[in-house]
């Protein structure tokens, strides 16, 4: 009987220790999540603005692979906003950009410069409509006149 009590006590202590270890690990995980860096809405929008600019020069130079890459980067940023900025009221409005992005993607796939220009203007106007709706009308996006970086060639390269 002594051995049975000793075995039962050992099992209970072992289980209790495992529960304490699990609770301690969960506390550490929660702490890491609470203190982890999460980019803000403006961080994402600054990235979108750069990709919007590069998209224009890619399309104007008929570098369709780069244009396709840039439109995917914009879509990824929009998805990230929805994931990381759920609590921001502006997030509810960004869905208005979905159709213009899809239409622009179609123009890129068709490799049609005129369609690209038209759809790019619609996208740009949609960005400004969103800014108006979310009380950020002071942030006006335009068709770029200069590339964002001086060290990128927007012309298609051989094999691209």
């Amino acid at each position: 009987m002594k051995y049975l009590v000793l075995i039962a006590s050992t099992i209970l202590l072992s289980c209790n220790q495992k529960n304490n270890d699990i609770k301690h690990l969960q506390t550490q995980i929660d702490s890491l999540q609470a203190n982890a860096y999460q980019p803000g809405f403006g961080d994402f929008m600054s990235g979108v603005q750069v990709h919007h600019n590069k998209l224009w020069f890619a399309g104007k130079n008929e570098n369709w692979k780069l244009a396709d890459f840039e439109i995917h980067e914009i879509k990824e940023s929009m998805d990230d906003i929805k994931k990381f900025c759920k609590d921001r009221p502006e997030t509810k409005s960004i869905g208005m950009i979905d159709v213009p992005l899809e239409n622009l993607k179609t123009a890129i796939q068709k490799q049609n410069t005129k369609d690209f220009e038209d759809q790019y203007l619609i996208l740009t106007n949609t960005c400004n409509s969103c800014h108006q709706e979310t009380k950020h009308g002071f942030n006006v996006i335009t068709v770029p006149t200069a590339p964002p970086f001086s060290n990128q060639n927007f012309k298609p390269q051989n094999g691209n």
Side-chain angles (χ1 to χ4, degrees), residues 98-117:
D98 293 343
V99 171
L101 280 173
E102 282 303 315
N103 292 341
L104 186 52
K105 181 178 172 145
T106 300
I108 291 167
Q109 289 170 341
K110 290 180 181 178
Q111 299 185 1
N112 183 315
T113 306
K114 174 72 173 116
D115 250 5
F116 171 85
E117 291 172 359

Side-chain angles (χ1 to χ4, degrees), residues 45-61 63 66-67 70-71 73-74 101 104 116 120 123-124 127 141-150 152 154:
M45 280 297 155
S46 292
V48 168
Q49 188 172 0
V50 170
H51 294 298
H52 178 264
N53 185 307
K54 291 172 70 172
L55 175 60
W56 174 253
F57 288 100
K60 287 299 286 181
N61 283 282
N63 187 341
L66 179 58
E70 294 300 338
I71 203 156
E73 292 298 304
I74 293 171
L101 280 173
L104 186 52
F116 171 85
Y120 187 90
L123 173 66
T124 303
C127 291
I141 304 301
T142 63
V143 173
T145 57
F149 305 108
S150 62
Q152 184 168 4
F154 289 93

Side-chain angles (χ1 to χ4, degrees), residues 29 36 55 65 80 87 97:
I29 290 169
L55 175 60
K65 285 187 177 183
D80 287 343
D87 59 329
I97 201 171

Side-chain angles (χ1 to χ4, degrees), residues 1-18:
M1 183 70 170
K2 287 182 187 179
Y3 294 115
L4 192 55
V5 170
L6 183 60
I7 291 172
S9 297
T10 303
I11 291 172
L12 285 174
L13 288 173
S14 175
C15 289
N16 194 24
Q17 180 61 38
K18 284 183 183 179

